[in-house]
Structures are given as C-alpha cells and as structure tokens.
Amino acid sequence: MPQIIIPDLAGTTLKKQYYLRERVGIGGMAEVYLAWDTLRATKMAVKILLPDLASDRKFKIAMEKEFELLRTLEHPNIVRVFDFESKGDHVFIVMAWVDGGNLRQRIKALARPLTLAEVGSILQPICSALNFAHNMHAYHCDIKPSNIMLHQNGRDVFLADFGVARLADEKKGGGGTHQYFAPERFSHVVDAKTDIYALGVTVYEMLSGGNLPYHGDSRSPGSTTRDRLAWEHSHLPLPPLREFNDSLPQEILDIVDKALRKEPSQRFDSALSFWKAFERATGSSRVVAPVEDATRFEPQPSGNKNVGEAHSEPIKPSQPPFTPSALGRTYLEGQSGELAGQFIPISSPSMQVGRGTACQIRLLEQSVSRHHATLIVTRRGVYLRDDGSSLGTLLNGVRIPPHVPMPLHSGDVIQIGYFQIFAFRSG
C-alpha cells in the first residue's frame, strides 16, 4: 500500500483566524500545529484530523456532537477546547496551547522511576479532571503519558485529547493506544472503569521508570500486536513492579494492582477513590476537589494570556504555613492552582482575594481580577462576596451574583479565575 503523504500546512490560516505557525507532530488520528489565534491574540493548538477520518461523513457528524460535550469540560486540569470546524477536507479542533512538555517526555528525560511525591503531583490533578469528566458522562478513552501535559511553570498539569480516540475506535477499531487498554476496551466498551485502568497503566509506567506491563510479545497468542495485547491484558498476571523499583511499599503495589484488575467491578469505583487510596498510602496533603460543575465559564480568555500560559512565581499569603491542627475552626484548603495543597486560615473579619498588592490572599493568575472577591467573617458565619470580578466567582459550580455576600458551609468549593479552587473548611 503506497504511503500517504500529508502536506505541511504551516504558513496557512484556517477559518480566517488560526494562523498555523508550525507543525509540531503527527499522530494516528491528527496532525498538530502551533497556531496563533488572531482574534484572541494568543497561542492555540490546532489538531487537524487525518484524511481517512476527515473524509468520513458519519465520523464528522459524530465529532461535531462530541465537540458540544468537550466544550463543557472546563476544568483547571483539562486542556480547554475552543472551536471545531468541519468544512471540506479540513476537520480540526482548536484547544489551548500548553507551554511545556508531556509526561512521556518527562519519564524519558528522568530515566528513572518517579518518586511517590512526583507521581502524586501528577496523579492528583488528573484524578480531579477525570472525576469531573466522568460525572458529566464524558470518558477520555486514551489516557497515556503523552496526553498528560506538564506546564513549564512546574506546577500545572493538564489532561488533553478527550473523546477523539473513542470516535476513531468506533469508526475503524483503531482509536486509542492498546498498551493502555483495559481487557473490555478491546471489545469497544468505554466507561469510567476503562479510564481508571489506563490511568493505572500510566502510574505503573511512572513508578517503573518507563516500563509497560504488557507489550504484545510475539510468544503470546494472536496474529497481530493488537490481538496479542488483548490476550495479555485479559490473561497475563501483572508483572511485579518491584522488578523495576524495589523501594515501593506494599500499599502502593496494592493500589496499582487494584487499578489494573481484569474484572472492572474489582477496580476503584471512581478516579476520586483511586486518588484517595494513593493519598492515604503516601500521607499526601493534597485532596481532589469534589467539583462536579465547578468550572463552567461562559467568558473566553482575553488578551495575550491563554489558559496554558506561564505564570510568575506566586506570592503566598502573608501568614506562615499551617497544618489543619493549627488552623482552628475556619480555613481554606487549596485544591488547585497556585496554592494547591496549602491551608489558609480565615483569621480576620475581612480577607480580600485577588491580584492587587493589598489583598490578603494574593494570586497572580491573569484571569483573577485585582479585587476579585472578599471573605467576610460575622457572628453568624463566613460569607463570600464577589467584588464585581470580570470572570465572576463560582460557589459549588454556580456563579454568585456580584456584591451579594453568600453564606459558606464546610465543604463548599470556591473557584476564583480559571485555575484557583479552594475548599472551605469550618468546624
């Protein structure tokens, strides 16, 4: 079969808006370009589907429906999708550009197993993203290190490429990456448990220094690599992680084993459960934000800052670091963003949150307004007031009205800007 040559479209403009600066990669389903969005004045990633997918009418219709779901997945750890176009030979998706690399590159560069702390800093935001998506009945279907983006600021982690692999799989059985498939995924079953399995393979890879549990060995039954991998995932026991990393505690081995059980019902019930088990085993202080709808924003980013652009080193609150036992009754727990994993006591009658230098809780993310919101302490309790911010303030997924104090209850989730998420703790 003659090889199909895919022309390089760098230097052209799509939809009179997206100037393609450079082709940065070609995968099994799409070619990826670094583009300049001339209307938003920011960098974007443009993924143009390969000709065999773009020429299929039913696939294009399914992709358009999928885009309507993807655009609702506005979570701090999901690469945001902005646009979809299906005209003629070009079918493309426009998403936020993340300055940095991916987890596969990190694993290769380190050339050693990741520490538990390093794994936790990646697993927590990915589990948070998956928990959010699964609650919206959106499944990733292609979780692997190359789809986990690591921002160059060293803090932010993003999950990319939701849903495209599933659509390709439905069309020709070729979507996704078979080394990460759950046994039932080879029969085109897609749900939260298949994502959890793929995440388990990814964690195995991080803890082993880049080794995968299954490879489609030529000695395994099957005429193709896909068939051999299907047999191995379904029948072979999990190769012991201690063959690659003899320092791992038994609790971590048990967690990986549970994520990679052959029977879906024996795996973790949710991505949140996966993270909580890892957190207990490692004593991590980070907690997945229990967001279900807590990141739906209507406004688009403006100016020359996109959601993946680097931030300066954040300025921490003026208070010294605290542990929960030293906080007293009322505090904020950073769930995502600049203060993730930190505990911030609510120790004065009024605490302002924003980018302004006078704010007691100062954040540098550009989507945060200078005087964004205020925490107000009264005899009746603690209230949250949006101070007329440009993006608004979300409380448990609902945008609160400006200048109206809203009562807070322990466990409430507060979102400031695109990335900054806090849990309110009291009592």
Side-chain angles (χ1 to χ4, degrees):
M1 180 179 293
Q3 184 177 5
I4 298 175
I5 299 176
I6 302 172
D8 190 341
L9 298 178
T12 62
T13 301
L14 300 179
K15 209 176 177 181
K16 298 181 179 180
Q17 180 176 352
Y18 306 109
Y19 174 74
L20 305 182
R21 286 182 172 178
E22 176 187 1
R23 184 163 67 183
V24 295
I26 301 178
M29 290 171 286
E31 50 182 333
V32 185
Y33 287 85
L34 167 60
W36 180 255
D37 185 336
T38 58
L39 295 183
R40 298 187 180 97
T42 189
K43 290 183 287 185
M44 291 286 184
V46 174
K47 295 202 169 187
I48 303 176
L49 297 189
L50 298 182
D52 60 332
L53 295 176
S55 62
D56 186 279
R57 180 175 175 273
K58 289 184 178 178
F59 181 84
K60 288 195 289 188
I61 293 172
M63 191 70 231
E64 189 168 2
K65 291 181 179 178
E66 187 76 3
F67 170 72
E68 294 305 316
L69 174 61
L70 296 180
R71 69 188 303 178
T72 68
L73 296 181
E74 294 188 28
H75 183 280
N77 303 112
I78 295 176
V79 174
R80 190 177 178 195
V81 176
F82 287 92
D83 201 358
F84 171 77
E85 182 74 7
S86 175
K87 285 187 178 179
D89 296 332
H90 289 158
V91 179
F92 62 89
I93 302 170
V94 180
M95 58 190 67
W97 176 266
V98 179
D99 284 317
N102 60 51
L103 178 57
R104 181 170 303 288
Q105 294 167 330
R106 171 73 63 83
I107 292 171
K108 185 176 180 180
L110 289 175
R112 60 162 175 80
L114 275 69
T115 66
L116 292 179
E118 290 169 334
V119 172
S121 69
I122 295 168
L123 184 61
Q124 186 271 339
I126 296 303
C127 282
S128 180
L130 281 178
N131 192 60
F132 169 80
H134 291 167
N135 285 335
M136 297 180 67
H137 307 289
Y139 308 110
H140 190 281
C141 310
D142 198 20
I143 294 172
K144 57 184 178 181
S146 59
N147 280 335
I148 296 175
M149 310 303 295
L150 308 178
H151 198 285
Q152 65 185 12
N153 64 17
R155 298 186 307 274
D156 296 323
V157 180
F158 305 92
L159 188 55
D161 282 359
F162 261 87
V164 178
R166 177 178 64 81
L167 293 177
D169 192 34
E170 290 175 355
K171 178 181 184 292
K172 59 179 183 178
T177 310
H178 301 132
Q179 288 88 342
Y180 301 83
F181 271 23
E184 69 276 13
R185 179 78 168 86
F186 289 94
S187 300
H188 310 291
V189 173
V190 169
D191 59 18
K193 295 297 184 76
T194 57
D195 276 351
I196 288 170
Y197 187 96
L199 184 58
V201 177
T202 301
V203 171
Y204 185 105
E205 193 171 357
M206 286 191 280
L207 292 172
S208 68
N211 293 282
L212 287 163
Y214 305 115
H215 304 86
D217 193 282
S218 59
R219 294 168 294 181
S220 298
S223 58
T224 66
T225 301
R226 183 186 191 277
D227 292 340
R228 292 191 291 270
L229 279 166
W231 185 86
E232 291 175 6
H233 280 279
S234 300
H235 299 286
L236 284 185
L238 185 66
L241 254 176
R242 282 207 173 116
E243 290 184 0
F244 310 106
N245 187 345
D246 59 8
S247 66
L248 293 173
Q250 186 61 45
E251 294 90 338
I252 296 296
L253 301 177
D254 292 342
I255 288 167
V256 176
D257 178 75
K258 184 171 182 176
L260 293 176
R261 295 282 173 85
K262 312 294 186 188
E263 175 57 45
S265 63
Q266 296 178 3
R267 297 174 205 149
F268 291 103
D269 291 335
S270 66
L272 184 61
S273 298
F274 192 169
W275 165 250
K276 285 184 175 179
F278 187 90
E279 179 193 23
R280 286 193 297 269
T282 60
S284 170
S285 64
R286 292 187 173 210
V287 180
V288 173
V291 285
E292 262 99 50
D293 283 295
T295 47
R296 295 196 183 188
F297 279 102
E298 290 301 323
Q300 303 285 345
S302 58
N304 61 3
K305 291 275 184 182
N306 77 39
V307 296
E309 195 165 341
H311 304 301
S312 303
E313 186 63 25
I315 297 175
K316 307 301 181 186
S318 57
Q319 295 89 350
F322 285 84
T323 59
S325 60
L327 287 173
R329 296 177 57 86
T330 309
Y331 60 96
L332 293 181
E333 182 179 341
Q335 303 281 298
S336 177
E338 298 166 21
L339 303 180
Q342 296 195 33
F343 301 96
I344 305 150
I346 301 175
S347 54
S348 61
S350 177
M351 294 182 67
Q352 196 165 58
V353 184
R355 289 190 294 113
T357 56
C359 292
Q360 288 83 3
I361 302 177
R362 192 179 176 199
L363 304 166
L364 295 186
E365 183 194 327
Q366 291 299 304
S367 65
V368 176
S369 296
R370 290 184 59 81
H371 303 289
H372 197 106
T374 300
L375 294 162
I376 303 167
V377 180
T378 73
R379 290 183 179 180
R380 293 187 176 183
V382 181
Y383 292 76
L384 174 67
R385 183 188 67 206
D386 178 84
D387 293 334
S389 63
S390 58
L391 277 183
T393 302
L394 270 67
L395 177 60
N396 297 326
V398 178
R399 184 169 178 168
I400 64 176
H403 310 296
V404 178
M406 305 295 291
L408 292 176
H409 304 91
S410 188
D412 282 350
V413 176
I414 301 166
Q415 180 161 338
I416 306 289
Y418 283 109
F419 291 104
Q420 315 303 322
I421 294 180
F422 305 89
F424 175 72
R425 307 296 188 197
S426 179

